[in-house]
Amino acid sequence: MKIAVMSCIHANLPAFEAVLKDIDENHCETIYSLGYLVGYGPHPNEIVDKIRELNIPSVQGCWDEDIVEGLNSCECSYPSLLAKKRGIIAHEWTNQQITAENRQFLAELPRTLKLENLCFAHGSPHSNHEYILPEMDAFTALEHVLSSEADVLFCGHTHIPYHRTLKVGMLQVKVNESNIESESQRQFKTPLKRIINVGSVGEPRHGKPNGTYVIYNTKTQEIILKEVEYDYQTTCRDIIEKGLPPIFAWCLARGLEFAEKAEDATHVCQR
């Protein structure tokens, strides 16, 4: 079975529609969403309406969580006062636009989903706010997949797609126990695991404006990272016309994050 996995749509309707069209042309049988349905973009209700209409299983992302709780985003994640000001504007605008029905839908989204040996999460299986970066040390990365009780962990949140294979290996642990004089040695065999970050449909940060998603074949385990062109200028125009910060359009057109970046990308909000 071919499944499509997408994340970080960020209220960008033209990007979402283009990706849906590509998924249909590739004959995927099921679609999963890893959250961030709203935030930054100008079409929050249109995206949630479409997700509900198509009955696409979705987990909850940080922005979805923020809007449900009526909070501004985790303030400890802002890299500068300017970024914080823009974030507050975007949160307040989205909070005013979202309908009560769609807010309730976002509130009821689960943190993770499972399909046989696959796990779907926004940031990590433990937190919407946690980044699983490609350079994370192998042991920590393996722990994330093992804790999900799956062989393949799909995630988003970073907006940059990647595929990482943690090969079959042997973990060796030496144990000194108080009631045993000699040192004992224990070994654990770790099966092959995968982490697949599907990137972002509506706010890519890999240097191009194209939306990204992943096609996964559950029978052959084949992974295809897809990139889809769309009319991003329409979204940029809507961002400006609806009063959102113009820099959001600048970033979208270039597939870049803001000029400021968090000093510690591994920081996990404890809110």
Side-chain angles (χ1 to χ4, degrees), residues 96-235:
Q96 291 168 1
Q97 298 295 317
I98 202 79
T99 65
E101 193 174 14
N102 284 339
R103 191 191 305 277
Q104 184 62 33
F105 176 81
L106 295 175
E108 294 173 355
L109 291 176
R111 294 297 181 94
T112 59
L113 288 170
K114 293 286 292 291
L115 173 67
E116 299 177 347
N117 66 333
L118 314 179
C119 179
F120 306 90
H122 177 70
S124 80
H126 312 296
S127 170
N128 286 341
H129 298 265
E130 185 173 17
Y131 291 95
I132 299 182
L133 300 170
E135 59 268 26
M136 175 180 279
D137 71 85
F139 187 78
T140 307
L142 180 63
E143 275 195 320
H144 279 298
V145 189
L146 291 173
S147 68
S148 70
E149 299 182 344
D151 295 324
V152 184
L153 172 61
F154 290 93
C155 59
H157 195 37
T158 69
H159 296 214
I160 299 174
Y162 73 84
H163 165 218
R164 183 175 185 181
T165 298
L166 300 161
K167 295 181 179 177
V168 178
M170 190 73 74
L171 292 176
Q172 198 172 75
V173 182
K174 293 182 179 179
V175 182
N176 283 316
E177 297 180 21
S178 58
N179 59 343
I180 300 176
E181 291 186 359
S182 61
E183 184 180 72
S184 64
Q185 184 170 291
R186 299 172 187 175
Q187 292 184 336
F188 306 88
K189 187 174 182 181
T190 61
L192 182 140
K193 301 288 183 181
R194 288 193 173 96
I195 296 175
I196 303 171
N197 190 307
V198 303
S200 171
V201 170
E203 202 203 64
R205 295 176 184 169
H206 64 295
K208 290 184 281 186
N210 305 331
T212 67
Y213 76 100
V214 160
I215 296 176
Y216 181 77
N217 189 315
T218 58
K219 186 175 181 180
T220 64
Q221 288 83 52
E222 181 186 22
I223 300 162
I224 303 174
L225 297 175
K226 294 282 293 181
E227 191 166 334
V228 181
E229 295 182 359
Y230 74 102
D231 179 14
Y232 64 85
Q233 293 183 353
T234 295
T235 306

Side-chain angles (χ1 to χ4, degrees), residues 11-12 14 40-43 202 209 230-255:
N12 184 340
Y40 293 122
H43 314 115
Y230 74 102
D231 179 14
Y232 64 85
Q233 293 183 353
T234 295
T235 306
C236 292
R237 185 167 55 248
D238 287 349
I239 286 172
I240 294 169
E241 288 180 352
K242 294 192 177 186
L244 288 161
I247 195 171
F248 291 175
W250 185 91
C251 295
L252 182 62
R254 290 160 179 77

Side-chain angles (χ1 to χ4, degrees), residues 69-88:
E69 297 182 359
L71 297 171
N72 285 318
S73 178
C74 164
E75 295 186 358
C76 59
S77 68
Y78 289 122
S80 72
L81 291 175
L82 197 58
K84 180 178 178 180
K85 181 179 178 181
R86 292 194 298 260
I88 290 172

